[in-house]
Amino acid sequence: MGLQGLYRLLYLSALIPSLRGLCSDKILQRWPLTPEVCTDQVLSNPDLRFSYCPHTFVQDLPAPHTPPVSPFSVNLSADSVLDFRITTAPSGDYGFSAFVKPTTNDDSCILHYKSDDGSFEMKLLSTASGTNVSVIEWDSSTFNASLKVGQWQRIAMTMDVSMSRLSLIIEGAPFDDTDVNIFGWRPDIIAPSFKTPGTLRVGGSFDGETFSGLVSCVGFMEDKRIDCSNDCYNSNTWSSINMFPEKRDYGKFSPTETRKIPNQTPISVTSANSLSACALKCLRDYLLCVSVAYNSATGSCSFYPDFFFISLSSSTNTKIYVLQPY
C-alpha cells in the first residue's frame, strides 16, 4: 500500500461511525436500570427496609438476547421519573444517551440535566411534531419529526466543545448507523461550561414535563458521538466493564471486614447517625466512593475508592462495607 493509500485508509477510519474503539474508556457514568439496583441499600441493616421498588421493570429490551436475560428496562409514566446525581464534570466533549420506547407522541421531556446552582441546563424534548435538544439560553437543535411510538430508539444530546456544536442523535433499531444527527453550530459563541454537581432527570423535567414509555441503558459519556450502542444492549459487556457502580439512591453493600480500617487516605470523612445514612452519602455525593468504613460508636463515616484493600489496621467498632458491582 502506498503512502497515499495509507492516508486514505486513516481518513476513512476516522469517519466510519461504527468503529467503536475503546468505548468503555469514554463512559463516565452508566445506569443499566435493572431490578437489582432497586433493593436495600445496606444488607442486613434493620433501620433501612424498603418493602417495594418504586418502579416497574419489564422484559422488553432494546435488542434481542439469546438466551433471554432478566428484565432490563424500566416503565416510566407521567407520575414517575429517575434522578441521577452527577458530581464530576467532563474534561472535553460530552453527552447523555438513553434507549427509549415511547407509548405516546404527547409532548414530553426524556432527558434534563440541571446543575445545582441553576447555571447550566441541557434538555431533550419530544413532541408530536418534532424532537429538540437545547442548552438553555445558548442554542438548540430540532428534528422536524417525533420519536416513533412503540419502537426502541437510541437518543442522545451531545456537545462538541471545541466546535461549539450541539447535536441531537436519534437511531432506530438495530442501532447500526445514525438515522438522524441534527446539530446546531455556533463557532462565534463559546459553548457554556458543563457545571457540576447536578442531577440528570430521566423521564421528565424540572419544569414539569413528563414522559410515558420504556427506558433502558442511560449513559453519561465523555464523547461527542456517543457511539457505544453495543455496550448497552449487550448485557454481558454492560455488566463486566462496569467497575464503578453508578451513583443512585439504591445499591447493595456487603460487609467485608470487622474492626478494621484501610491504610489509605479516604476520599472524605464525615459523620452519620446510621450505617444507612453513611452508605447513602457514598452513593449520592461521591462519584468514586465504592467502600465505606463506619464506626458505630462514634458515627464516623469514611469513604474509599477501592473495592479491595491490601493493608488494613485495627479500628474498634468499625466495619467495612463494599458496594457490589452488578
Side-chain angles (χ1 to χ4, degrees):
M1 179 185 295
L3 186 59
Q4 183 177 1
L6 177 60
Y7 285 151
R8 184 180 295 112
L9 177 61
L10 292 174
Y11 176 74
L12 289 174
S13 66
L15 295 179
I16 299 174
S18 61
L19 294 179
R20 291 178 170 80
L22 297 176
C23 178
S24 60
D25 292 345
K26 300 291 187 180
I27 299 169
L28 296 176
Q29 292 181 264
R30 66 171 87 213
W31 299 271
L33 304 183
T34 63
E36 289 73 23
V37 308
C38 210
T39 57
D40 286 355
Q41 296 167 28
V42 181
L43 297 181
S44 305
N45 185 30
D47 70 339
L48 185 63
R49 287 287 173 233
F50 288 95
S51 60
Y52 69 97
C53 175
H55 300 292
T56 301
F57 294 86
V58 298
Q59 278 188 311
D60 193 341
L61 314 183
H65 291 260
T66 305
V69 297
S70 300
F72 200 71
S73 57
V74 62
N75 190 10
L76 299 180
S77 59
D79 59 353
S80 62
V81 296
L82 296 167
D83 282 348
F84 302 120
R85 291 291 293 166
I86 294 177
T87 57
T88 299
S91 60
D93 301 333
Y94 59 86
F96 295 98
S97 68
F99 284 69
V100 297
K101 185 178 181 182
T103 56
T104 71
N105 62 358
D106 297 337
D107 293 359
S108 59
C109 180
I110 302 176
L111 301 172
H112 187 186
Y113 175 78
K114 186 175 183 178
S115 62
D116 289 355
D117 63 7
S119 64
F120 181 86
E121 292 185 59
M122 195 174 188
K123 198 172 185 180
L124 194 153
L125 293 169
S126 177
T127 70
S129 59
T131 309
N132 174 271
V133 60
S134 62
V135 172
I136 308 303
E137 298 184 354
W138 181 72
D139 198 12
S140 65
S141 296
T142 301
F143 175 58
N144 295 321
S146 60
L147 296 179
K148 297 177 182 178
V149 174
Q151 296 185 31
W152 279 108
Q153 292 131 99
R154 187 181 72 97
I155 60 170
M157 53 183 184
T158 76
M159 176 66 76
D160 183 335
V161 175
S162 63
M163 297 291 289
S164 291
R165 187 171 69 183
L166 175 69
S167 293
L168 164 65
I169 298 172
I170 303 174
E171 292 181 346
F175 318 113
D176 287 332
D177 299 302
T178 300
D179 297 330
V180 178
N181 187 348
I182 306 298
F183 59 87
W185 188 21
R186 302 191 66 178
D188 55 320
I189 303 177
I190 297 175
S193 298
F194 190 94
K195 297 293 181 61
T196 58
T199 299
L200 174 66
R201 176 159 290 183
V202 180
S205 79
F206 297 98
D207 304 318
E209 296 106 338
T210 59
F211 167 78
S212 294
L214 303 182
V215 179
S216 184
C217 306
V218 179
F220 176 38
M221 305 185 191
E222 202 164 30
D223 193 325
K224 63 189 175 188
R225 293 184 298 113
I226 318 294
D227 194 14
C228 303
S229 304
N230 283 343
D231 278 342
C232 173
Y233 58 76
N234 183 328
S235 61
N236 293 328
T237 302
W238 186 271
S239 300
S240 62
I241 66 172
N242 181 25
M243 295 306 297
F244 293 96
E246 298 72 28
K247 303 298 98 178
R248 57 187 185 276
D249 293 343
Y250 302 90
K252 288 186 177 181
F253 282 79
S254 290
T256 59
E257 295 286 348
T258 302
R259 293 184 294 277
K260 298 287 181 64
I261 193 168
N263 287 333
Q264 66 175 234
T265 303
I267 298 171
S268 179
V269 179
T270 186
S271 60
N273 58 13
S274 68
L275 174 58
S276 60
C278 178
L280 274 175
K281 289 182 179 181
C282 170
L283 289 169
R284 292 176 176 174
D285 301 334
Y286 296 91
L287 174 65
L288 297 179
C289 176
V290 294
S291 302
V292 299
Y294 183 69
N295 189 308
S296 57
T298 65
S300 176
C301 177
S302 301
F303 306 110
Y304 297 92
D306 295 329
F307 287 105
F308 308 104
F309 302 100
I310 298 175
S311 178
L312 299 169
S313 60
S314 298
S315 179
T316 306
N317 301 314
T318 299
K319 183 175 290 189
I320 300 174
Y321 287 80
V322 175
L323 182 59
Q324 300 301 298
Y326 309 137

